[in-house]
Amino acid sequence: MLELPRINPSTLWRNRAFEAVWGSLYNAGIEHRTLARPVGWALFGTDARLVYRNLEVLQDLPPGTAVLDVPCGGGIALDALPHDHRLRYIAADISPSMLERAEEKADRLGLTDIDFVEADIHRMPFSDGHFDLVLTLNGLHCLPDPAAAVRELARVLKPGGRLFGDCIVRGAHPRGTVAATAMGLAGVFGPGGTATDLAQWFADAGLDQVHLELSGAVAHFDARRPL
């Protein structure tokens, strides 16, 4: 497999041209479910409906649950929040333009009591053990050091807290591996890893009860920080 260069996060995310072009394309695709399905299948051999199905986890949380959504992107998870969610919800992203999109979407949906925070997933401004649930969608494969990001996500989880989300993995689907390699060369994706690598990142971060579900090149995961 072609080895990709490591990417500096400031180069990747702070480049305004990158944000304007890739951010707009990604946001348009993931926000339109009828478009996400054929594109997801064509590029990564995945059923994009699983992303939206898995977001239903947000509808069953008790009031007062502390949730971190990082990287929140344009706010895909906000569709799953009821108006009277009564959660302590923080949406974080390193991209100012993505945060703006997420805030605009929250306004359109009539959602309140959401805090939007500009933050680097590798060094987040949250205390240890702060969140009951950390949601991370479509982000780990874009990062220069996904293993370090998983450790940071685990750090901010409470004992018994849950890390939930998805990412693209290499080696799980031929078309997906080709697409991920091409996007890595274009500077859109980071080095990424295989499903085995992903499981190892969770283990190294001290997470257990790991459940992985592969759909083409997309791994949907659910893991917990031990009590």
Side-chain angles (χ1 to χ4, degrees):
M1 184 184 300
L2 181 64
E3 184 175 353
L4 301 176
R6 298 182 73 80
I7 303 171
N8 186 305
S10 62
T11 300
L12 180 63
W13 289 109
R14 296 297 182 180
N15 185 293
R16 299 294 178 169
F18 170 85
E19 289 188 12
V21 176
W22 170 247
S24 296
L25 289 173
Y26 164 75
N27 201 61
I30 200 68
E31 289 289 344
H32 295 85
R33 301 189 183 193
T34 54
L35 178 61
R37 288 182 62 187
V39 171
W41 175 254
L43 290 179
F44 301 108
T46 189
D47 184 351
R49 291 176 296 182
L50 293 177
V51 176
Y52 310 107
R53 182 204 69 185
N54 290 342
L55 283 174
E56 293 174 6
V57 67
L58 294 173
Q59 299 174 6
D60 300 323
L61 300 175
T65 299
V67 178
L68 173 63
D69 176 5
V70 60
C72 67
I76 177 178
L78 301 182
D79 286 317
L81 283 178
H83 288 180
D84 58 345
H85 60 83
R86 292 181 291 171
L87 304 175
R88 293 189 290 126
Y89 197 100
I90 293 178
D93 205 295
I94 198 170
S95 165
S97 63
M98 282 297 193
L99 283 173
E100 289 173 7
R101 290 186 177 96
E103 291 189 65
E104 290 170 358
K105 183 171 184 178
D107 288 341
R108 291 195 304 271
L109 294 173
L111 293 171
T112 58
D113 297 324
I114 296 175
D115 293 320
F116 295 91
V117 177
E118 185 176 337
D120 182 345
I121 196 172
H122 298 90
R123 295 179 298 278
M124 294 188 293
F126 309 117
S127 59
D128 294 357
H130 188 83
F131 295 98
D132 300 289
L133 174 70
V134 172
L135 180 67
T136 183
L137 297 172
N138 304 324
L140 294 180
H141 52 264
C142 293
L143 302 175
D145 193 345
V150 171
R151 291 194 298 271
E152 181 71 349
L153 296 173
R155 178 188 69 79
V156 301
L157 273 177
K158 294 179 181 178
R162 188 175 178 188
L163 176 62
F164 192 85
D166 62 66
C167 68
I168 293 166
V169 293
R170 299 177 186 275
H173 189 276
R175 213 161 52 241
T177 298
V178 170
T181 299
M183 291 186 180
L185 291 172
V188 175
F189 283 8
T194 65
T196 300
D197 293 329
L198 181 61
Q200 188 62 53
W201 299 339
F202 291 149
D204 292 343
L207 300 173
D208 63 11
Q209 300 182 47
V210 178
H211 174 73
L212 291 177
E213 178 184 1
L214 286 174
S215 173
V218 177
H220 299 270
F221 52 80
D222 189 357
R224 291 185 182 272
R225 179 177 174 182
L227 289 169

